[in-house]
Amino acid sequence: MQKIIFICFTIFLYNSTLRSQNIQEMKFFDEKVLKDWKVDKKDFAFPQPDKYLKKGNKRIHIIYDENIIFVSETDVISPYEYISAYDSLTKQQLAKGQKFYLCEIGVWEYYDQDEKIVNQINYDTLCKFSIEDVVQKIKKEYNANLLDRKECISLERSSNTESLYYKTLSIEKKKNYKEHYYYFVTFYSPKTNLIRDNYLILDGETGNILYEMKKSNDRTHPFDNLLEQIDKEKCEK
């Protein structure tokens, strides 16, 4: 059961785009806590029983799955997202975590029926070059504020073992392939999020910019080409 919860929770994280003490500390799901929230107009654009609520700058998305209730809280200005998962029958909290744009951050906790922690994942240990370091680097070198969602920027993090390039490697090569994390920073045009004004790939250990592409409506991901080039350079040394 724990494995199913973990898989469902992870899927939700990748599909979901200021911290509320009510949401994060709500051990049992209760919609009455949200009675003062208004229905967001986007609620009518999606199939029920999903719910979209708003209160000031804050937004809440509730997904009623067959076995689990997912609650996601975001802010129209802040890039932080707070997520909790609850058992559909008992309404008991099963897991909670936090994201910065598309990056899981901090310690994620998973609970059993007795409310005891059965699993913890610390996403801040994945990279030596932290999220805070990325924010400062982008602010200093590109005069852009990742803490403000109005600036049309996004941030992702992924490892080389999650790439398409890795999947093409032979079993023998995969045995000696060391996992390594990278950050992807995308600057979108203020007029449309379909055009990338700038795109960066940063090394998750050093923070060095390994790739930069400016002004393009090309939606392809250069990550695989970069990994292939890195491997070629290693072989030539």
Side-chain angles (χ1 to χ4, degrees):
M1 179 64 180
Q2 181 188 342
K3 184 177 182 181
I4 295 175
I5 293 171
F6 180 83
I7 293 174
C8 292
F9 195 34
T10 303
I11 292 174
F12 173 74
L13 295 181
Y14 283 97
N15 290 332
S16 48
T17 329
L18 299 160
R19 181 166 190 169
S20 165
Q21 295 299 320
N22 288 335
I23 296 301
Q24 285 290 295
E25 296 182 2
M26 189 163 58
K27 301 301 181 182
F28 288 85
F29 179 73
D30 184 1
E31 278 199 40
K32 293 179 181 178
V33 174
L34 306 172
K35 63 181 180 180
D36 296 330
W37 291 66
K38 297 180 179 180
V39 174
D40 194 344
K41 62 181 181 180
K42 73 166 57 176
D43 187 41
F44 303 104
F46 293 87
Q48 300 297 322
D50 284 17
K51 288 187 176 181
Y52 292 85
L53 306 174
K54 63 180 180 179
K55 187 176 184 181
N57 289 331
K58 295 182 180 181
R59 300 292 185 269
I60 283 182
H61 180 197
I62 305 174
I63 295 180
Y64 293 90
D65 195 48
E66 184 178 354
N67 299 310
I68 304 172
I69 300 172
F70 297 105
V71 182
S72 166
E73 181 178 354
T74 57
D75 190 286
V76 296
I77 298 176
S78 170
Y80 289 96
E81 179 178 7
Y82 299 88
I83 302 171
S84 291
Y86 301 88
D87 186 285
S88 295
L89 294 177
T90 66
K91 302 299 188 294
Q92 180 180 321
Q93 189 177 49
L94 302 174
K96 69 177 182 180
Q98 181 183 357
K99 294 177 68 178
F100 183 80
Y101 287 100
L102 300 176
C103 303
E104 295 89 349
I105 62 174
V107 178
W108 290 66
E109 296 180 346
Y110 299 83
Y111 309 98
D112 63 12
Q113 298 289 339
D114 298 319
E115 301 182 34
K116 294 181 180 180
I117 297 175
V118 293
N119 189 23
Q120 288 183 317
I121 301 176
N122 187 353
Y123 286 99
D124 290 344
T125 63
L126 296 180
C127 300
K128 288 184 179 180
F129 199 77
S130 68
I131 295 287
E132 291 77 11
D133 293 332
V134 176
V135 172
Q136 292 177 12
K137 183 180 182 70
I138 297 302
K139 180 67 175 179
K140 180 180 179 180
E141 299 182 16
Y142 292 87
N143 194 29
N145 187 8
L146 273 166
L147 297 177
D148 188 351
R149 290 181 61 185
K150 294 183 296 183
E151 295 210 10
C152 301
I153 315 173
S154 71
L155 177 66
E156 299 178 58
R157 179 187 57 220
S158 183
S159 76
N160 50 3
T161 58
E162 298 171 319
S163 66
L164 291 175
Y165 172 70
Y166 176 78
K167 294 178 181 178
T168 64
L169 298 178
S170 65
I171 296 177
E172 194 62 32
K173 285 186 177 181
K174 287 181 179 179
K175 290 180 180 179
N176 300 317
Y177 206 75
K178 186 178 179 181
E179 187 174 42
H180 195 92
Y181 281 86
Y182 300 83
Y183 292 108
F184 312 119
V185 182
T186 306
F187 301 80
Y188 290 103
S189 169
K191 297 181 179 180
T192 172
N193 60 6
L194 297 178
I195 298 178
R196 297 189 295 207
D197 280 348
N198 204 353
Y199 180 81
L200 311 173
I201 298 180
L202 282 67
D203 189 298
E205 294 297 299
T206 65
N208 293 335
I209 296 176
L210 305 177
Y211 178 91
E212 181 170 8
M213 177 178 68
K214 295 184 177 181
K215 204 70 175 180
S216 173
N217 56 5
D218 184 4
R219 304 289 287 179
T220 59
H221 207 302
F223 188 37
D224 298 299
N225 292 335
L226 174 63
L227 294 178
E228 184 176 4
Q229 182 62 34
I230 290 175
D231 282 353
K232 285 183 179 179
E233 291 177 358
K234 287 181 179 179
C235 293
E236 293 174 357
K237 291 182 179 179

